[in-house]
Amino acid sequence: MNSFFQNYNTGKRILLHLCFWFLVLGMQFISYQRIDIHHSWILFLKDVFSLLTIFYVTAYVIIPRWFIPGKFLLCMLWLLFIYAWWSFLSYFGALLTLKYLTPDIRLSSYLEIVQSNGIFGAFRLSSLSDYLLDFIFLVALPLTVKIVQAFMSVKNSKTKLELKNAALELNNVQLELAFLKYQINPHFLLNTLYSIYVLVSDRDERGGESMMRLSSIMVYLLHESNQPKVDISREFQLLKDYVELEKLRYSETVQINLNLAADDENCMMVPLIFFPFVENAFKHGPRLSSSAGWISIAIKVKDHKVHLNVSNAYRELSKPENYIGGLGIENVRKRLELHYPHHHILEIKSNEGVFTVNLVVTLLPEEKP
């Protein structure tokens, strides 16, 4: 059955419709045979013609153009029209049967009532309930099946579209994450390598240590951060290595405070959430500060919540025309929305020469220690 609908095509659609109408019209035919086996065929053909026209116009015109878009007033008018259409056909079917055939007493008495009510008998209050019951009995099953199928089709289409959009969004974020990994400030790499070179030339023990820190950063960015979740201790180590290498560049000219604490460093988190904020502080803080530069970085993990505060001195400078910046921060915003929707608070503000980032992330159940 599943394979039948997975490869659904025009031929299978026709076969399915034929089977459906065989069942529906077969029940209708049997009900007329019970009334009069020889003289009810005109009424049966009337029902076949009226039901098929009502169903296919409703299914392929009214439902997609009016019902699904929510044009319910037009749908009510259409319902009134098909009721009138069926009642007129019923009236003329009764006339033809009485004129050209000789139905038995039970069928004949029913047809005479229809004839006496006239062409507008279906709209008279005295006979409205009888006509409505016959009409509902005729059209309820086919139209209900089609309406349910239409709703399921629309729902499936929306679901597929949402999944497609989600996949595109995820792919976009993944591409941006890959870009983020490779967009470490080139000045940082150049200056760090030069600082390491100087240390090694002076046979300073810090040269080998700094080389190991840089190697650790590159290994993490190129390989370990490909995992969907990493130990927060590994993120902490990345920040420690990065800050220590930045200290080589700024020596004692910039006051740098780093405070990392976690009640359990084995808890898991999406990688590279903190790094862009820290890198941004070093990129803009010391270089642009008009007074003594300083940077403060504090991250605390407690009670399944991560609290980050990064602040630095800064100086407002006019940006060149067509300047594009803040891509790393914007990338983090998107990743937070993707991985921690409704579970994070991000505040970025600048006031009186101080640029501050505050982030609170509530770890999801699978990330809790």
Side-chain angles (χ1 to χ4, degrees):
M1 182 63 71
N2 289 334
S3 60
F4 179 87
F5 288 102
Q6 286 176 354
N7 301 310
Y8 196 60
N9 52 36
T10 304
K12 292 181 178 179
R13 181 191 296 271
I14 293 174
L15 178 61
L16 191 63
H17 279 234
L18 289 176
C19 293
F20 175 75
W21 288 121
F22 178 80
L23 293 174
V24 173
L25 296 178
M27 291 187 294
Q28 197 74 11
F29 179 77
I30 292 173
S31 65
Y32 276 118
Q33 289 294 295
R34 289 178 177 178
I35 298 175
D36 190 328
I37 193 171
H38 298 294
H39 304 99
S40 59
W41 58 269
I42 291 181
L43 298 180
F44 174 71
L45 291 179
K46 177 266 299 183
D47 281 352
V48 171
F49 180 69
S50 61
L51 185 55
L52 291 179
T53 53
I54 289 172
F55 176 83
Y56 283 104
V57 174
T58 303
Y60 295 103
V61 179
I62 304 303
I63 290 179
R65 295 187 181 182
W66 292 353
F67 187 75
I68 298 301
K71 300 177 181 179
F72 298 119
L73 179 59
L74 292 176
C75 292
M76 293 299 296
L77 292 176
W78 170 251
L79 190 60
L80 183 63
F81 173 80
I82 61 176
Y83 176 68
W85 165 250
W86 168 81
S87 67
F88 294 157
L89 290 178
S90 298
Y91 174 75
F92 289 112
L95 290 182
L96 291 174
T97 301
L98 288 173
K99 184 175 182 179
Y100 296 104
L101 300 176
T102 55
D104 63 14
I105 297 177
R106 187 168 56 159
L107 179 59
S108 178
S109 60
Y110 166 76
L111 296 176
E112 288 173 357
I113 294 174
V114 173
Q115 183 181 22
S116 64
N117 287 333
I119 195 171
F120 295 106
F123 295 93
R124 292 181 179 180
L125 292 178
S126 58
S127 56
L128 182 62
S129 59
D130 295 331
Y131 278 91
L132 275 177
L133 288 175
D134 287 345
F135 177 73
I136 292 173
F137 177 78
L138 179 68
V139 303
L141 177 61
L143 292 187
T144 299
V145 170
K146 186 59 186 179
I147 290 172
V148 170
Q149 185 271 334
F151 271 120
M152 294 297 295
S153 178
V154 170
K155 183 179 179 180
N156 290 338
S157 298
K158 289 183 177 179
T159 302
K160 289 180 181 179
L161 182 60
E162 290 173 356
L163 290 175
K164 183 178 179 180
N165 290 337
L168 290 174
E169 180 67 19
L170 178 60
N171 184 59
N172 182 52
V173 172
Q174 289 174 337
L175 290 174
E176 290 177 345
L177 176 58
F179 172 72
L180 174 65
K181 294 178 182 179
Y182 296 105
Q183 73 166 14
I184 294 181
N185 194 338
H187 294 291
F188 162 75
L189 292 175
L190 182 61
N191 291 333
T192 299
L193 288 173
Y194 178 75
S195 299
I196 293 174
Y197 170 75
V198 172
L199 292 173
V200 171
S201 298
D202 294 341
R203 297 183 180 181
D204 191 319
E205 294 181 355
R206 293 179 298 168
E209 181 183 346
S210 298
M211 184 63 74
M212 292 301 296
R213 290 186 183 277
L214 181 60
S215 175
S216 176
I217 289 175
M218 301 311 295
V219 168
Y220 181 73
L221 292 178
L222 296 177
H223 301 290
E224 296 180 34
S225 61
N226 291 327
Q227 301 297 323
K229 303 287 174 62
V230 296
D231 287 345
I232 204 165
S233 60
R234 194 62 186 89
E235 283 282 297
F236 281 3
Q237 187 60 50
L238 170 69
L239 299 181
K240 291 175 184 177
D241 291 336
Y242 180 78
V243 169
E244 287 301 319
L245 291 177
E246 286 285 14
K247 285 181 178 180
L248 294 177
R249 298 173 58 192
Y250 296 108
S251 186
E252 302 297 329
T253 60
V254 177
Q255 181 183 354
I256 302 173
N257 294 318
L258 177 64
N259 184 12
L260 306 175
D263 51 11
D264 188 338
E265 292 189 353
N266 292 321
C267 58
M268 308 290 286
M269 190 172 181
V270 174
L272 296 178
I273 293 294
F274 310 136
F275 184 75
F277 299 119
V278 175
E279 186 192 27
N280 188 70
F282 279 100
K283 184 189 300 183
H284 300 290
R287 183 165 58 89
L288 299 182
S289 177
S290 58
S291 59
W294 59 269
I295 296 174
S296 175
I297 304 163
I299 303 176
K300 180 175 65 174
V301 181
K302 187 175 182 181
D303 298 330
H304 313 318
K305 285 191 176 183
V306 179
H307 301 263
L308 173 140
N309 175 271
V310 178
S311 55
N312 59 271
Y314 87 108
R315 176 164 53 97
E316 283 284 358
L317 293 178
S318 59
K319 295 180 175 58
E321 188 176 355
N322 299 324
Y323 169 81
I324 299 177
L327 297 178
I329 303 300
E330 186 60 29
N331 175 275
V332 175
R333 289 184 188 273
K334 292 181 180 179
R335 296 179 65 225
L336 286 169
E337 287 294 335
L338 178 66
H339 296 288
Y340 299 99
H342 313 296
H343 290 84
H344 74 277
I345 301 173
L346 175 61
E347 295 179 350
I348 300 177
K349 58 185 178 180
S350 57
N351 184 34
E352 298 180 354
V354 177
F355 189 86
T356 304
V357 176
N358 287 301
L359 172 65
V360 178
V361 178
T362 302
L363 298 181
L364 302 179
E366 66 272 14
E367 300 169 330
K368 296 177 182 179

